Structures are given as C-alpha cells and as structure tokens.
Amino acid sequence: MEHTSNADLRAEADAVLARLVGIQFGVVQNADGTSTVVAPPSGALVADSATVPGGLFGLMCPSDIPVITGICQTLSDARLNKITATMESVGAPYAFDQTAGVLKDMPIIALPVRIHLQNPLLGDKCYIGSASAPIVLRPKNLDYPAFGMSFFQGDGTLDEVGEMSRIDLTGAPQNDSGFAVPAASGCGLNIGLINAAVNAKTGLPSAAGNNSLTLNSAQTHLAGLTAPGTVAPDAGKVLARNWRSAVR
C-alpha cells in the first residue's frame, strides 16, 4: 500500500506545520478474516520538512515571560529564527479499511504521528505529539477517486497476465478535521524551557474540531499478488521479493 500527496496540517493558530509526502505499509490478511497493518522499520510515513511561517518569532513572540523576551530580542538573526517542521511516524498505522478507499466520507486508516520542530534555540527534542500521546490522523475521501487497475511482472514490466496487480485510486482530495493536537514538549534546551510560550502562542493543546488536515490530489496504490494461491506456500516470499516493483 502506498499513498502520496501534498498536504497541509493546520492547528488552531492556522499555522502550516508539516508537509506530507507519502505513506507506505503492508496489509496481512489473517485466517480469521481480520487484517494486520505492517509498517517498514523506518516508519510508514515519508515526509519532507516544511518551514513554519514567521519562524520562532512568530511561534512565541511577544511574551511576558522574561526569559522568552530575552530570546525574542535575539531573533533578528534569520538562522536563529527559522523553524522547520517534519511529520514523523510514532507507531504502525491501524484500522485500515480497504473499502473506504474507494468510497467517500469514511476513515481509511489511523496514522499516529508527531511533529518535530527544529531550530537552534528549540533544541533537538522539541515535538508536538509523542509516542504515548500522538496526533492520530484518520483521512477520508471528500469525493470518489478515479479507479484504475494494472498488471505487471515481478520486475515491474507491464504484463496483462503478470503475477503482480495494483489498484490505483487517484484524484480525490482527502481530509481529516476530527483530530486533537497535544501540547508541545522538549522545546528549549531539550528540557522544555519554552514549552509554555510555544503552546500559548499556537493554542496548544488543541481539541478535536479545531484542526484540519487536507491531502491534495491524493494518489493511493494497493498492490499484491494477482493469484497468491498459485505460489502457495511461498506467496509471502514472492511478494517480499516483488513488492518494490509496485511503487516504482
């Protein structure tokens, strides 16, 4: 399963926090009819960093906290002011609904994430969300996606009788406006020195209903063996060998 899109994640303060590029995960069909989502060791999410508008100055200044006021006075240096934000996985996706992918207004998957804010004055442990209290995104189609189907050999060569097949769902925007955003932590010398200022300025924690994720022109691809029974009991081995050809 591969999902790609440009996305804007906005919290209550309407600041763009992160840009989402892709999600990759596998789905194991269990004998009892249930399914299990399996994420790559590096995490299901692959995301580009985005620059936070206004930088550190916009994130916490002005402030009536003396130490924050002192920091604000140093932010004429563009290097010190710039903040980048990167969305990261903090656990495997779950609650995957394959049917929801072709319909609209139904959550497709639950994706636990956190946002890493990076700036010399914030330290390297400044996060919004965590493994124990993640932001959980549940995107759903706002319209019906276009449906396509392709077949190919294990090396990626298109072939109508190929051993691999892929469902392609494209063109439909996706949205989630029901998630909560927890308070920032670890901001400022990695010990949370300026957590309060960051949270106050951005309106964090932000309850469900105050936040929105929009996936623009989402592309979802679901690949697998065309006829897994024909390679039993080695279907898993064949899929492991060939799956990358589906996402080239």
Side-chain angles (χ1 to χ4, degrees):
M1 175 81 177
E2 181 189 44
H3 177 96
T4 59
S5 175
N6 289 326
D8 290 333
L9 174 64
R10 298 177 182 269
E12 190 175 50
D14 202 37
V16 178
L17 294 179
R19 189 164 299 280
L20 177 65
V21 175
I23 306 168
Q24 293 183 359
F25 58 89
V27 181
V28 177
Q29 298 292 338
N30 302 317
D32 62 0
T34 63
S35 61
T36 302
V37 175
V38 181
S42 58
L45 188 65
V46 180
D48 282 341
S49 297
T51 300
V52 177
L56 192 58
F57 189 90
L59 194 65
M60 67 178 194
C61 303
S63 173
D64 57 4
I65 303 172
V67 67
I68 304 303
T69 300
I71 293 174
C72 291
Q73 292 171 350
T74 72
L75 296 181
S76 58
D77 183 329
R79 184 184 66 85
L80 292 179
N81 187 48
K82 181 180 178 181
I83 298 177
T84 59
T86 308
M87 194 185 301
E88 302 175 350
S89 294
V90 286
Y94 59 94
F96 173 62
D97 186 338
Q98 182 173 334
T99 302
V102 300
L103 301 176
K104 65 178 184 178
D105 300 325
M106 294 176 59
I108 300 168
I109 196 166
L111 182 66
V113 301
R114 65 183 180 183
I115 298 170
H116 191 186
L117 301 178
Q118 294 172 288
N119 168 279
L121 296 176
L122 291 177
D124 60 3
K125 296 181 180 179
C126 181
Y127 291 95
I128 298 173
S130 65
S132 60
I135 303 167
V136 181
L137 305 175
R138 295 179 172 87
K140 54 189 176 183
N141 290 323
L142 296 179
D143 202 353
Y144 294 104
F147 178 88
M149 191 86 180
S150 55
F151 299 87
F152 47 94
Q153 295 295 343
D155 63 359
T157 303
L158 292 176
D159 186 340
E160 291 184 358
V161 293
E163 60 185 327
M164 299 288 292
S165 60
R166 188 179 71 191
I167 296 171
D168 303 305
L169 305 172
T170 60
Q174 297 178 356
N175 178 265
D176 180 8
S177 299
F179 59 93
V181 180
S185 61
C187 303
L189 302 179
N190 300 329
I191 58 173
L193 182 65
I194 56 178
N195 286 347
V198 172
N199 290 327
K201 191 68 181 290
T202 57
L204 299 178
S206 180
N210 295 326
N211 317 293
S212 181
L213 169 78
T214 300
L215 302 168
N216 303 305
S217 300
Q219 299 183 38
T220 302
H221 307 282
L222 180 61
L225 295 171
T226 304
T230 63
V231 289
D234 296 321
K237 292 180 181 179
V238 175
L239 180 60
R241 184 179 68 232
N242 295 345
W243 76 268
R244 289 186 182 278
S245 64
V247 296
R248 287 179 179 174

